Amino acid sequence: MGTDRRGWLRGAPPPRWIRMLPVLLLVGVGTATLASPEPLDIGFLLGAVPPLAVLAYGPWATAVLGGVTIALLTVSAFRLDRPGDADLYTLGFVAVLSVFVSFVRRRRDAQLDLERTIAETAQRALVPDVLPRVGAVRCASLYRAAERGTLVGGDFFDVRPGPHGVRAVLGDVQGHGLAAVATVASLMGAFREAVLDDPDLEAIAARLDRRLVVDSAGVEHAELFATAVLLDFAPAEGTVRVLARGHPPPLLLRSSGGPPRTLEPVPGPPLGLGLAGVVPASALTVTLRPGDRLVLASDGVLEARDANGSFYPFARRLARLADAGTESLPEAIWADLARFAPEVRDDVTLLVLTLEPRDPGVA
């Protein structure tokens, strides 16, 4: 899943240097005036202490810092500008106002943290982290939502065991961000039911297609569709079936080396167009050797551009990263993509799958 990428200006806790600013300002001004043989006209700097405290501290700490600020101005030993009553009243008003603003900010932050916690729980239930191993399939994944502050956008992925084998899906619904979450929820629910009921990938794809058709039936000009690639692992045979519905097929990294191979099943139309029976897709069966890895990527990877507008050459760059292990490969691809593209504008999803049948003698 995606990690929290908020900066401190977007709700994350302030960095340590922000917390230290008001304290350092107080200590610096106090030390400078005590060390100087002549009075220093730097008392105006203390007016910044209460507002700076608001950025990092609660109301009580802000009140204490405001009180220390007034004390520095009034204690004769510091010889700060000999402030008049108007100056002290002004600073006192700023300190009181800062305490009030700090109280409001603390209450607002607490409410936002609660709402974010609820949203994270709901979104993680919708698209949970993929387990390191599902049946005979080792898994590694990465998700980065394009919309800041969200964990789920328009991409969806899952790896599930069922009575008919281990099935995996990766896809992309129309749009991204919060507007796409409802569609992702609908598709993920349909996929998880299909894994338990449907005997093959074609039936699963038909169920997902029907789900989107039904969802958009009552909405005028809904244009609701999604692309997806589905996989069905057969550990006993050492094979995987791949079905593409408008989505780029996976790449195969052979354990024996060599450039990545693009698996190319006969593609079908995107899901949600109601064309499953009119233009059927054809699954491709591939024999997997021990250590072979399947790498699935969303459009956010394949359509990322560099500063010159060139697309990210996924297959060529993947060949350079093939030495990374299964668990570290998604992060290695993401780091390489971030170096290539100055700004990634779409959701990024990566899924790496390796078929590793267990020894029958091992429980």
Side-chain angles (χ1 to χ4, degrees), residues 281-302:
S282 177
L284 173 69
T285 301
V286 179
T287 300
L288 298 177
R289 306 165 190 163
D292 287 351
R293 290 175 290 179
L294 295 165
V295 183
L296 292 76
S298 66
D299 291 342
V301 176
L302 305 174

Side-chain angles (χ1 to χ4, degrees), residues 201-203 205 228-231 241-245 265-266 268 281-284:
L201 293 181
E202 290 80 3
V229 57
L230 298 105
L231 288 79
R241 297 184 72 236
V242 182
L243 184 71
R245 293 295 302 270
V266 177
S282 177
L284 173 69

Side-chain angles (χ1 to χ4, degrees), residues 334-350:
W334 168 250
D336 185 67
L337 179 66
R339 289 191 295 267
F340 177 88
E343 184 178 3
V344 179
R345 299 179 179 273
D346 201 357
D347 302 324
V348 168
T349 303
L350 292 163

Side-chain angles (χ1 to χ4, degrees), residues 130 134 137 139 157-170 191-204 229-235 240-241 351 353:
V130 174
V134 180
V137 180
C139 314
F157 62 101
D158 203 358
V159 183
R160 292 271 165 168
H164 305 288
V166 176
R167 274 77 180 272
V169 64
L170 185 146
F191 173 75
R192 290 162 185 167
E193 289 184 1
V195 166
L196 299 176
D197 299 333
D198 295 329
D200 53 46
L201 293 181
E202 290 80 3
I204 294 176
V229 57
L230 298 105
L231 288 79
D232 184 4
F233 290 91
V240 62
R241 297 184 72 236
L351 193 59
L353 305 172

